[in-house]
């Protein structure tokens, strides 16, 4: 499938997952099973059972199995330290798995994020979080777009529900944001459904004027998606057709000139 050209935007990075393996110049992994701050049940690994390229797709697959201190495994892939961007259009074409208790997401964190840092400014939510797409299986017709920052994190993040009249897991859909100095706009299959401008945070800091990295993951269980359905059959997978980053033509020209 040819890469879409978007008027006024220049493609600056992409991964079409057309090779034989995950490209290590694009992606690394979070590893562990400590709940990830949300009470999640999975242990994230870098094993091909949990993340691989197959038939032109990135497959992030969750299994029900005893592994380390967990009874589920999955993968959380990120571009931290490899592909980081300030502003642009970020999109992914995904097919999410169906089933209560599943929580696939395509999202971003500030590039200076370091949960082990002594400087609180390097911790969440001070670094900023942009959730391009979150889906929870117990709401089969709904996806979310959200930002989190200091004073508006967790349940107080700025969020918008985008509900359809069909099960989202039945097919592939394209999730995107367009982000610049003025704010962030969310898109579902090319249709705009949410815009936030920088003044929305009022007296609280707007923390979205620096580089961010991207994350793709499939969580199992936790406070947000709720209990795992007893009849849910594993393995389940999040399929990723592509991830693309565009920047506005005038921005890329300025970057080249400098």
């Amino acid at each position: 499938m040819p890469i879409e050209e978007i008027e006024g935007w220049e493609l600056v990075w992409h991964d079409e997952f057309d090779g034989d393996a995950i490209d290590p110049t694009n992606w690394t992994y979070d590893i562990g099973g400590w709940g990830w701050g949300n009470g999640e049940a999975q242990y994230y690994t870098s094993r091909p059972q949990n993340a691989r390229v197959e038939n032109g797709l990135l497959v992030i697959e969750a299994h029900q199995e005893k592994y380390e201190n967990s009874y589920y495994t999955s993968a959380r892939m990120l571009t931290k330290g490899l592909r980081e961007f300030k502003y642009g259009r970020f999109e992914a074409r995904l097919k999410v798995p169906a089933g209560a208790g599943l929580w696939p997401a395509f999202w971003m964190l500030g590039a200076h994020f370091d949960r082990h840092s002594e400087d609180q400014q390097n911790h969440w939510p001070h670094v900023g979080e942009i959730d391009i797409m979150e889906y929870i299986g117990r709401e089969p017709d709904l996806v979310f777009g959200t930002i989190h920052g200091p004073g508006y994190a967790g349940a107080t993040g700025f969020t918008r529900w985008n509900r359809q009249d069909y099960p989202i897991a039945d097919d592939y859909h394209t999730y995107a944001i367009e982000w610049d100095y003025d704010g962030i706009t969310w898109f579902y299959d090319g249709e705009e459904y949410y815009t936030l401008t920088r003044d929305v945070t009022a007296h609280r800091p707007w923390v979205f004027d620096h580089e961010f990295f991207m994350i793709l993951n499939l969580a199992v269980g936790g406070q947000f998606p709720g209990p795992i359905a007893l009849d849910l059959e594993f393995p389940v997978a999040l399929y990723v057709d592509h991830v693309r980053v565009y920047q506005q033509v005038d921005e890329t020209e300025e970057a080249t000139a400098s």
Side-chain angles (χ1 to χ4, degrees), residues 12-15 23-28 78-86 90 107-109 111 211-215 243 245:
V12 295
W13 175 83
H14 62 110
D15 197 332
D23 186 344
T25 68
N26 289 336
W27 303 98
T28 184
L78 54 157
T79 66
K80 181 174 173 58
L82 301 171
R83 310 293 180 179
E84 298 171 345
F85 303 91
K86 177 183 175 182
F90 300 78
W107 53 298
M108 304 172 71
L109 283 175
E211 291 186 332
F212 275 61
F213 62 90
M214 291 167 283
I215 305 170
V243 180
V245 179

Side-chain angles (χ1 to χ4, degrees), residues 28-44:
T28 184
Y29 302 84
D30 273 332
I31 306 294
W34 53 276
W36 299 93
N38 305 300
E40 298 163 28
Q42 80 288 331
Y43 193 103
Y44 285 132

Side-chain angles (χ1 to χ4, degrees), residues 4-82:
E4 179 185 6
E5 293 185 5
I6 303 174
E7 184 177 357
W9 297 89
E10 181 177 337
L11 184 69
V12 295
W13 175 83
H14 62 110
D15 197 332
E16 308 298 314
F17 306 107
D18 290 333
D20 297 325
I22 293 167
D23 186 344
T25 68
N26 289 336
W27 303 98
T28 184
Y29 302 84
D30 273 332
I31 306 294
W34 53 276
W36 299 93
N38 305 300
E40 298 163 28
Q42 80 288 331
Y43 193 103
Y44 285 132
T45 86
S46 59
R47 305 178 305 165
Q49 296 98 310
N50 297 118
R52 61 187 179 275
V53 168
E54 193 172 85
N55 299 321
L57 300 168
L58 171 65
V59 182
I60 297 179
E61 193 167 82
H63 291 256
Q64 185 175 26
E65 58 178 328
K66 180 68 169 68
Y67 189 89
E68 299 292 340
N69 58 341
S70 302
Y71 288 89
Y72 300 88
T73 61
S74 188
R76 175 158 139 167
M77 299 176 57
L78 54 157
T79 66
K80 181 174 173 58
L82 301 171

